[in-house]
Short mmCIF file of all heavy atoms in Angstrom, two decimals:
data_model
loop_
_atom_site.label_atom_id
_atom_site.label_comp_id
_atom_site.label_asym_id
_atom_site.label_seq_id
_atom_site.Cartn_x
_atom_site.Cartn_y
_atom_site.Cartn_z
N HIS A 80 -6.82 -16.19 0.96
CA HIS A 80 -7.92 -15.76 0.10
C HIS A 80 -7.51 -15.87 -1.36
O HIS A 80 -6.42 -15.43 -1.75
CB HIS A 80 -8.33 -14.32 0.44
CG HIS A 80 -8.97 -14.20 1.78
ND1 HIS A 80 -10.33 -14.13 1.96
CD2 HIS A 80 -8.43 -14.17 3.03
CE1 HIS A 80 -10.61 -14.04 3.25
NE2 HIS A 80 -9.46 -14.07 3.92
N LEU A 105 -13.42 1.77 -5.54
CA LEU A 105 -12.28 0.86 -5.51
C LEU A 105 -12.72 -0.56 -5.17
O LEU A 105 -12.26 -1.53 -5.78
CB LEU A 105 -11.24 1.34 -4.51
CG LEU A 105 -10.56 2.68 -4.82
CD1 LEU A 105 -9.73 3.14 -3.62
CD2 LEU A 105 -9.69 2.59 -6.07
N ALA A 106 -13.62 -0.69 -4.20
CA ALA A 106 -14.07 -2.02 -3.77
C ALA A 106 -14.84 -2.73 -4.87
O ALA A 106 -14.67 -3.93 -5.10
CB ALA A 106 -14.92 -1.91 -2.52
N GLU A 107 -15.70 -2.00 -5.57
CA GLU A 107 -16.46 -2.61 -6.65
C GLU A 107 -15.53 -3.07 -7.77
O GLU A 107 -15.70 -4.15 -8.34
CB GLU A 107 -17.50 -1.64 -7.19
CG GLU A 107 -18.43 -2.26 -8.23
CD GLU A 107 -19.58 -1.36 -8.64
OE1 GLU A 107 -19.86 -0.37 -7.92
OE2 GLU A 107 -20.22 -1.65 -9.67
N ALA A 109 -12.33 -3.86 -7.43
CA ALA A 109 -11.55 -4.99 -6.92
C ALA A 109 -12.36 -6.28 -6.98
O ALA A 109 -11.84 -7.34 -7.36
CB ALA A 109 -11.08 -4.72 -5.49
N ALA A 110 -13.64 -6.20 -6.62
CA ALA A 110 -14.50 -7.37 -6.67
C ALA A 110 -14.68 -7.85 -8.11
O ALA A 110 -14.65 -9.05 -8.39
CB ALA A 110 -15.85 -7.04 -6.04
N VAL A 114 -9.34 -9.05 -7.24
CA VAL A 114 -8.09 -8.70 -6.56
C VAL A 114 -8.39 -8.15 -5.17
O VAL A 114 -9.55 -7.90 -4.83
CB VAL A 114 -7.27 -7.68 -7.37
CG1 VAL A 114 -6.91 -8.27 -8.73
CG2 VAL A 114 -8.03 -6.37 -7.53
N GLY A 115 -7.35 -7.94 -4.38
CA GLY A 115 -7.52 -7.45 -3.02
C GLY A 115 -7.62 -5.94 -2.95
O GLY A 115 -7.33 -5.22 -3.91
N MET A 116 -8.02 -5.46 -1.77
CA MET A 116 -8.11 -4.02 -1.54
C MET A 116 -7.76 -3.72 -0.09
O MET A 116 -8.22 -4.39 0.83
CB MET A 116 -9.52 -3.51 -1.83
CG MET A 116 -9.71 -2.03 -1.48
SD MET A 116 -11.43 -1.51 -1.64
CE MET A 116 -11.34 0.12 -0.85
N THR A 136 -17.52 -1.06 2.70
CA THR A 136 -18.07 -0.78 1.38
C THR A 136 -19.24 -1.70 1.05
O THR A 136 -19.29 -2.84 1.51
CB THR A 136 -16.98 -0.95 0.31
OG1 THR A 136 -16.42 -2.26 0.41
CG2 THR A 136 -15.88 0.09 0.51
N VAL A 138 -19.96 -3.27 -1.71
CA VAL A 138 -19.47 -4.45 -2.42
C VAL A 138 -18.19 -4.92 -1.76
O VAL A 138 -17.29 -4.13 -1.49
CB VAL A 138 -19.21 -4.12 -3.91
CG1 VAL A 138 -18.65 -5.34 -4.63
CG2 VAL A 138 -20.49 -3.64 -4.59
N ARG A 139 -18.11 -6.23 -1.52
CA ARG A 139 -16.96 -6.76 -0.80
C ARG A 139 -15.93 -7.33 -1.78
O ARG A 139 -16.26 -8.21 -2.58
CB ARG A 139 -17.41 -7.86 0.17
CG ARG A 139 -16.27 -8.40 1.03
CD ARG A 139 -16.76 -9.48 1.99
NE ARG A 139 -15.65 -9.94 2.81
CZ ARG A 139 -15.27 -9.38 3.94
NH1 ARG A 139 -15.93 -8.33 4.38
NH2 ARG A 139 -14.26 -9.85 4.64
N PRO A 140 -14.70 -6.87 -1.72
CA PRO A 140 -13.64 -7.45 -2.56
C PRO A 140 -13.24 -8.83 -2.02
O PRO A 140 -13.58 -9.18 -0.89
CB PRO A 140 -12.50 -6.45 -2.43
CG PRO A 140 -12.71 -5.81 -1.10
CD PRO A 140 -14.20 -5.76 -0.89
N PRO A 141 -12.52 -9.63 -2.80
CA PRO A 141 -12.11 -10.96 -2.33
C PRO A 141 -11.22 -10.94 -1.09
O PRO A 141 -11.18 -11.91 -0.35
CB PRO A 141 -11.33 -11.53 -3.53
CG PRO A 141 -11.79 -10.75 -4.70
CD PRO A 141 -12.12 -9.38 -4.18
N LEU A 142 -10.51 -9.84 -0.89
CA LEU A 142 -9.63 -9.69 0.27
C LEU A 142 -9.70 -8.25 0.73
O LEU A 142 -9.41 -7.34 -0.04
CB LEU A 142 -8.19 -10.06 -0.10
CG LEU A 142 -7.10 -9.79 0.94
CD1 LEU A 142 -7.31 -10.65 2.18
CD2 LEU A 142 -5.72 -10.03 0.35
N ARG A 143 -10.14 -8.05 1.98
CA ARG A 143 -10.24 -6.68 2.51
C ARG A 143 -9.24 -6.54 3.66
O ARG A 143 -9.33 -7.24 4.68
CB ARG A 143 -11.65 -6.36 2.99
CG ARG A 143 -11.74 -4.99 3.61
CD ARG A 143 -13.09 -4.33 3.45
NE ARG A 143 -14.21 -5.14 3.91
CZ ARG A 143 -15.49 -4.92 3.54
NH1 ARG A 143 -15.77 -3.96 2.70
NH2 ARG A 143 -16.45 -5.68 4.01
N ILE A 144 -8.31 -5.61 3.49
CA ILE A 144 -7.25 -5.38 4.48
C ILE A 144 -7.51 -4.07 5.18
O ILE A 144 -7.61 -3.02 4.55
CB ILE A 144 -5.87 -5.35 3.79
CG1 ILE A 144 -5.62 -6.66 3.04
CG2 ILE A 144 -4.77 -5.11 4.83
CD1 ILE A 144 -4.33 -6.66 2.23
N ASP A 171 -10.56 -9.04 6.65
CA ASP A 171 -9.90 -10.34 6.48
C ASP A 171 -8.49 -10.30 7.05
O ASP A 171 -7.97 -11.32 7.50
CB ASP A 171 -9.83 -10.69 4.99
CG ASP A 171 -11.20 -10.77 4.34
OD1 ASP A 171 -12.08 -11.46 4.90
OD2 ASP A 171 -11.40 -10.13 3.29
#
Side-chain angles (χ1 to χ4, degrees):
H80 292 261
L105 295 171
E107 186 172 344
V114 299
M116 175 187 169
T136 56
V138 178
R139 184 179 181 86
L142 172 65
R143 177 150 54 199
I144 302 175
D171 300 310

